[in-house]
Amino acid sequence: MERAQLEALLNEVREGRTDIPDALERLRVLPFEDMGFAKLDHHRPLRTGMPEVIFASGKTIEHVTAIFVRMAQAGGNVLATRVSPECAQSVLAAEPRATYHQAARCMTLEQATAPAGKGTVAVVCAGTSDLPIAEEAAVTARLMGNTVELIADVGVAGIHRLLAQRTSLQSARVLIVCAGMEGALPTVVGGLVNAPVIAVPTSVGYGASFGGLAALLGMLNTCSPNVCVVNIDNGFGAACMATLINRM
């Protein structure tokens, strides 16, 4: 339940358009709704400003579909990450208003206005192989009320491509930078801008990249003091952090 929804309900009670038993029934799922296999935290937007999100990986298609539909019925925006095409088909059959973002492996349903960010969130990725993680970050950030600019394939192996984007980089209020291999891109971007840079190591690279561990360690050892790091492939987490910064 969003703050605006709760305020509207309280005003309805005050004005006599909703009686107390009906209001109590609508509030019944606070602070959470027990579905047996899942406990939906409808109270989270009021508590943290961020909605609960469905992490589809590891869940059955039936469970993801049931959770998505119930969250949609609650009236807020819905986001599911790491959604397979097969799972997406099931969700769309149950909730046709949803949108499947195949490149990002995300599903969204937008039915409420999220608080607007104060500036642009730039989502930058080193190579096209990093694009799925960057797309996950971009989809998440947009649903959470941000203006997003996606800048793709500007890795340090062709640094002139990055420098050609300097105006966009320097005008962003927050930057999310996704890179695999040796993970150098966030450090370079951090040296070009006076804004927070959220580095996302990706599991892209040959054997000695160890599934993104090399990029993670490289980013943790950055010499740019405006860079912080999230977990490997965690575009969603980076977008949440960027959203909180962009609202301040």
Side-chain angles (χ1 to χ4, degrees), residues 16-209:
R17 293 183 288 120
T18 298
D19 59 26
I20 290 177
D22 286 343
L24 288 174
E25 180 61 24
R26 289 163 65 178
L27 291 170
R28 180 179 56 84
V29 297
L30 292 178
F32 66 87
E33 177 183 0
D34 193 344
M35 297 180 67
F37 58 87
K39 294 176 175 59
L40 306 187
D41 188 1
H42 297 302
H43 189 260
R44 192 175 301 182
L46 288 173
R47 192 173 68 250
T48 70
M50 310 292 285
E52 182 169 33
V53 171
I54 306 163
F55 182 66
S57 180
K59 294 182 176 68
T60 67
I61 290 176
E62 293 76 16
H63 284 171
V64 173
T65 302
I67 294 169
F68 197 101
V69 168
R70 187 62 198 96
M71 290 178 68
Q73 291 170 348
N77 294 334
V78 188
L79 170 63
T81 65
R82 305 303 164 94
V83 180
S84 69
E86 296 76 17
C87 185
Q89 290 178 0
S90 174
V91 173
L92 287 170
E95 178 46 88
R97 297 177 299 162
T99 301
Y100 183 44
H101 309 266
Q102 187 169 1
R105 297 172 293 175
C106 291
M107 295 205 74
T108 59
L109 174 61
E110 188 171 358
Q111 51 186 357
T113 302
K118 294 183 178 180
T120 298
V121 175
V123 179
V124 185
C125 71
T128 306
S129 297
D130 303 302
L131 198 52
I133 305 305
E135 291 278 9
E136 178 182 272
V139 167
T140 301
R142 288 192 184 102
L143 188 67
M144 293 184 177
N146 301 282
T147 298
V148 176
E149 182 175 1
L150 179 61
I151 302 171
D153 198 21
V154 289
V156 298
I159 202 163
H160 56 293
R161 301 173 300 174
L162 178 68
L163 297 177
Q165 303 293 327
R166 184 176 295 181
T167 299
S168 293
L169 297 173
Q170 293 179 339
S171 63
R173 196 162 187 265
V174 193
L175 299 98
I176 299 170
V177 183
C178 309
M181 302 290 187
E182 82 284 15
L185 185 60
T187 293
V188 177
V189 172
L192 295 173
V193 303
N194 64 346
V197 174
I198 303 171
V200 186
T202 69
S203 53
V204 171
Y206 295 104
S209 69

Side-chain angles (χ1 to χ4, degrees), residues 50 81-82 136-137 140 176 198 200 230-231 233-244:
M50 310 292 285
T81 65
R82 305 303 164 94
E136 178 182 272
T140 301
I176 299 170
I198 303 171
V200 186
V230 298
N231 204 352
D233 289 342
N234 192 8
F236 162 74
C240 291
M241 185 60 66
T243 297
L244 292 173

